[in-house]
Amino acid sequence: MTFSYNHLFTFTESVFLSMGCPETDATLATEVLLSADLRGIDSHGVARLAGYVRLWEAGRINVTPRVGIVHETPSTAVVDGDGGLGLVVAPRAMAIALEKARLAGTGWVSVKNSNHFGIAGYHAMKALAHDMVGIAMTNASPLVAPTYSLDRLLGTNPIAVAIPAGDQPDFVADFATTTAANGKLEIAQRKQLPVPAGWVQNADGTGSTDANAVKNGGALLPLGGDTGSHKGYCLGSIVDIFSAVLSGANYGPWVPPFVAFLQPPADPVGQGLGHFFGAMRIDAFRPAAEFKAHMDNWITTFRNAQAVEGRKVLIPGDPEREMAAVRLVDGIPLLDPVIQDLEAIGKKLGVKL
Amino acid sequence: MTFSYNHLFTFTESVFLSMGCPETDATLATEVLLSADLRGIDSHGVARLAGYVRLWEAGRINVTPRVGIVHETPSTAVVDGDGGLGLVVAPRAMAIALEKARLAGTGWVSVKNSNHFGIAGYHAMKALAHDMVGIAMTNASPLVAPTYSLDRLLGTNPIAVAIPAGDQPDFVADFATTTAANGKLEIAQRKQLPVPAGWVQNADGTGSTDANAVKNGGALLPLGGDTGSHKGYCLGSIVDIFSAVLSGANYGPWVPPFVAFLQPPADPVGQGLGHFFGAMRIDAFRPAAEFKAHMDNWITTFRNAQAVEGRKVLIPGDPEREMAAVRLVDGIPLLDPVIQDLEAIGKKLGVKL
């Protein structure tokens, strides 16, 4: 079943308002959350709304946070999210990075005491309108085993980098530092399909194609899978350290779970989960027009490369941008279990889907 | 056959002096180059010295470069390497990043008109003594096919991130954004062994285990190989853009080849090849002692994770640090073809190995 963007926007905004979010926060959180549905990253959109509601019911989300800078230099800041929705904390922190970049050339903000922030790409893309490069990353609940580990110590820890172009659409990379994002695994679970080799391991560390391996004590594998997971492990670790060890958030196995039925670790090493944002003004390096002309050349060169039969070479961001254009017109398809979930929270909070 | 570090240092320094490098540059270039041999990254050490000599003979290296800032803000700079050895240009650029970070919290330097800079890890590690995070990346000759591409448009484009710890050894990640570095492929070629699936593709884009596939018109694959190469493609692209489109160096297929027998493209889009360096002062985020105590906790938690039978979980930088400790004492083993190469350039330049 398919819903229009505006329909889902009104519903989601009303849910956040019912939770007690101030109006500007409810609107902002809705925009961030639905950007995932628009861009086709269904696992991170309204499908997660019920999860946020349950975290709030469990007293683990502060709907009226005082988000503020706790330490800063001309090009850096640490932001305390005050336990707020990551969907609200993250845009505030990114705005600080953009303002630092305006004044000092670049801005780098590490965030503690936050929560899940939707898709990293949304935040990185906020830099584009300012002729800046935008960077966003976050740590997440531990589901990933470092190379040779049986223990799950890292999240899927995504990285997004948005780079402005001229006449061409902007370059927007946004990817989990695992072989596959957890959302893709959930889809395979629902459809009861096996997953490709290199995505997951069993509890004993052997490779698996069972979509339920992670549920049964196994783990997601870092990017690189069977042939080079140490590089994905490096990347996931860097995201964890920049997001949480720099800011004073929880890191590694201490990152609080997104699901409300699991308790956060009893011995936290920091506050909430952590994000890291960066903004670099293009003209802190070279004139923006010159840079964008070369980006256009870069993009057309790659897009026009000779390709494997029946395929074409894509530019990072192409599929998500094309999907957003379609879904703005045709609406956003939701799976039945997601609709039932939304109807249930709607009923509880007095909001009709 | 094994040579002491000091023996190779004297030889290499003499070679650079014979090429006309000023004494400080010859010493610096030698330190950078040999850091690869010490750390076990044999493909990037003295094995490449003959390659640098041949580039110089071909008039493609300026041994007396005037390395300078062409544009800057409080936290950024673009550096022109004046066609110098990357081994000399890169440490100068990284020093600028460190000085920017001292004053503004972070420093970010994009470099044009340079050449191959040895191992990225060496440059990133320069931040550690200053209680800073160090970042280094570079683009390189096009050997890598983006996802679905038949054309080779990217280099192995490595990323290094060095993060200071307290009592524990520092965290040092340094990896090519391909499944396997080109050096590993060269070793398989020399030993006439097949390579694992996911490393390379044939000229028609089909997967291959032939170590000679790249020589025969094929390509190296981005990190992720058969299951997720679009993420490695994103990473390699980001390195290319930060290193070259930000600075005004050549990018993508225009990056000049390292080997002197191949001519640089006749229609350059920039100058030389490009690097990108970053430095972030830890105390621009939180007190360094506090950060390092948490890094020690991070490192011991990961190192002590339950591991697959017969393995242990490593921290990025462990293998290279342990190798360096061994080779400083036991010496650096060189393969016969490398020794013959060194003897040949030594004879030509009047330097005895």
Side-chain angles (χ1 to χ4, degrees):
Chain A
M1 206 171 148
T2 295
F3 296 81
S4 76
Y5 176 74
N6 288 342
H7 186 100
L8 287 180
F9 198 101
T10 306
F11 173 78
T12 305
E13 197 180 27
S14 303
V15 167
F16 284 129
L17 285 170
S18 301
M19 284 166 57
C21 292
E23 212 168 294
T24 43
D25 286 10
T27 308
L28 181 60
T30 302
E31 188 186 311
V32 178
L33 194 69
L34 289 192
S35 72
D37 295 292
L38 275 185
R39 293 173 70 76
I41 308 161
D42 299 346
S43 54
H44 285 57
V46 285
R48 284 216 173 150
L49 183 57
Y52 287 103
V53 172
R54 284 191 284 265
L55 273 183
W56 164 69
E57 288 174 328
R60 279 155 59 184
I61 284 178
N62 175 4
V63 288
T64 54
R66 300 177 67 133
V67 180
I69 294 175
V70 293
H71 185 70
E72 64 184 319
T73 71
S75 74
T76 67
V78 168
V79 163
D80 184 337
D82 196 21
L85 280 167
L87 305 167
V88 167
V89 173
R92 303 246 157 94
M94 186 65 194
I96 293 167
L98 295 173
E99 178 61 12
K100 295 266 176 198
R102 196 175 67 79
L103 296 171
T106 66
W108 306 88
V109 176
S110 191
V111 180
K112 65 175 173 178
N113 209 358
S114 186
N115 225 295
H116 288 256
F117 74 7
I119 53 168
Y122 174 91
H123 308 294
M125 288 171 75
K126 282 290 159 188
L128 295 171
H130 305 276
D131 281 357
M132 296 186 193
V133 170
I135 298 170
M137 49 186 91
T138 186
N139 68 4
S141 324
L143 293 173
V144 181
T147 310
Y148 302 135
S149 174
L150 299 181
D151 296 340
R152 304 194 291 219
L153 298 175
L154 290 169
T156 52
N157 296 7
I159 299 173
V161 177
I163 304 173
D167 298 330
Q168 292 295 316
D170 303 314
F171 174 109
V172 182
D174 181 4
F175 55 92
T177 53
T178 45
T179 305
N182 195 36
K184 290 198 179 169
L185 198 66
E186 287 168 1
I187 291 166
Q189 281 168 18
R190 251 181 245 129
K191 297 186 176 169
Q192 299 190 296
L193 291 173
V195 296
W199 283 27
V200 294
Q201 68 181 23
N202 294 313
D204 64 359
T206 52
S208 176
T209 57
D210 177 5
N212 294 305
V214 179
K215 279 190 177 168
N216 297 327
L220 282 165
L221 291 175
L223 176 59
D226 295 340
T227 53
S229 77
H230 58 289
K231 298 184 181 188
Y233 163 38
C234 284
L235 281 168
S237 302
I238 292 162
V239 172
D240 194 35
I241 294 166
F242 283 13
S243 299
V245 187
L246 268 184
S247 66
N250 289 293
Y251 45 82
W254 287 278
V255 177
F258 180 68
V259 289
F261 63 83
L262 289 177
Q263 287 304 306
D267 56 345
V269 292
Q271 296 175 280
L273 60 69
H275 317 307
F276 186 77
F277 301 101
M280 301 196 288
R281 232 173 59 210
I282 295 296
D283 66 5
F285 294 92
R286 71 190 293 190
E290 205 176 285
F291 174 88
K292 288 178 177 183
H294 280 287
M295 274 308 293
D296 284 349
N297 187 37
W298 192 100
I299 288 168
T300 50
T301 301
F302 279 63
R303 190 172 276 139
N304 296 331
Q306 231 194 313
V308 173
E309 180 80 33
R311 296 283 194 173
K312 54 182 183 171
V313 176
L314 303 176
I315 303 303
D318 278 353
E320 295 83 2
R321 187 185 65 254
E322 286 164 15
M323 179 67 88
V326 169
R327 288 190 167 181
L328 264 178
V329 175
D330 294 352
I332 294 162
L334 297 182
L335 296 175
D336 284 342
V338 172
I339 296 172
Q340 288 154 22
D341 230 20
L342 293 179
E343 283 172 342
I345 57 168
K347 201 168 173 183
K348 194 186 285 182
L349 295 168
V351 181
K352 204 176 149 1
L353 180 62
Chain B
M1 206 171 149
T2 297
F3 296 81
S4 76
Y5 176 74
N6 288 342
H7 185 100
L8 286 180
F9 199 102
T10 306
F11 173 77
T12 305
E13 197 181 27
S14 303
V15 167
F16 284 128
L17 286 170
S18 300
M19 282 165 60
C21 293
E23 211 169 298
T24 44
D25 286 11
T27 307
L28 181 59
T30 303
E31 189 186 309
V32 177
L33 193 70
L34 289 191
S35 72
D37 296 291
L38 275 184
R39 293 174 71 76
I41 308 162
D42 298 346
S43 53
H44 285 57
V46 284
R48 283 216 175 150
L49 183 57
Y52 287 102
V53 172
R54 284 191 283 265
L55 274 183
W56 164 70
E57 287 173 328
R60 281 154 59 184
I61 284 178
N62 174 4
V63 288
T64 53
R66 299 177 70 132
V67 179
I69 294 175
V70 292
H71 185 70
E72 63 184 320
T73 71
S75 74
T76 67
V78 167
V79 163
D80 184 335
D82 196 21
L85 281 167
L87 306 167
V88 167
V89 174
R92 302 246 158 93
M94 186 66 193
I96 293 166
L98 296 173
E99 178 61 12
K100 295 267 175 198
R102 195 176 68 79
L103 297 171
T106 66
W108 306 89
V109 176
S110 191
V111 180
K112 67 175 173 177
N113 211 355
S114 186
N115 226 297
H116 288 256
F117 75 6
I119 52 169
Y122 174 91
H123 307 295
M125 288 171 76
K126 281 290 158 188
L128 295 171
H130 305 277
D131 280 357
M132 295 185 193
V133 169
I135 298 170
M137 50 186 89
T138 186
N139 69 3
S141 324
L143 293 173
V144 180
T147 309
Y148 302 135
S149 173
L150 299 180
D151 296 338
R152 304 193 292 217
L153 297 176
L154 290 168
T156 52
N157 295 8
I159 299 174
V161 177
I163 304 173
D167 297 333
Q168 292 295 315
D170 302 315
F171 174 109
V172 181
D174 181 4
F175 54 92
T177 53
T178 44
T179 305
N182 195 34
K184 288 196 178 169
L185 197 68
E186 288 169 359
I187 291 166
Q189 282 169 15
R190 249 180 248 128
K191 295 185 176 170
Q192 299 190 295
L193 291 173
V195 296
W199 281 27
V200 293
Q201 69 182 23
N202 294 314
D204 64 359
T206 53
S208 176
T209 56
D210 177 4
N212 294 307
V214 180
K215 278 190 180 171
N216 297 328
L220 281 166
L221 291 174
L223 177 59
D226 294 339
T227 53
S229 75
H230 58 290
K231 299 185 180 188
Y233 163 38
C234 285
L235 282 168
S237 301
I238 292 163
V239 171
D240 193 35
I241 294 165
F242 284 13
S243 300
V245 187
L246 269 184
S247 66
N250 289 292
Y251 46 80
W254 288 278
V255 177
F258 180 69
V259 288
F261 63 84
L262 290 178
Q263 284 305 307
D267 56 345
V269 292
Q271 296 174 279
L273 58 70
H275 318 308
F276 186 76
F277 301 101
M280 302 195 287
R281 234 173 58 211
I282 295 298
D283 66 5
F285 294 93
R286 72 191 294 192
E290 207 175 283
F291 174 88
K292 288 180 179 181
H294 280 287
M295 274 308 294
D296 284 350
N297 186 38
W298 192 100
I299 288 168
T300 50
T301 300
F302 279 64
R303 190 172 276 139
N304 295 330
Q306 232 192 311
V308 174
E309 181 79 32
R311 295 286 193 169
K312 53 184 185 170
V313 177
L314 303 177
I315 304 302
D318 278 355
E320 295 84 1
R321 189 186 62 255
E322 287 163 13
M323 179 65 88
V326 169
R327 288 191 168 181
L328 263 178
V329 175
D330 295 353
I332 294 163
L334 296 182
L335 296 175
D336 283 342
V338 173
I339 296 171
Q340 287 155 20
D341 231 18
L342 293 178
E343 283 172 343
I345 57 167
K347 199 168 173 184
K348 195 186 285 184
L349 295 168
V351 182
K352 206 178 149 358
L353 178 62

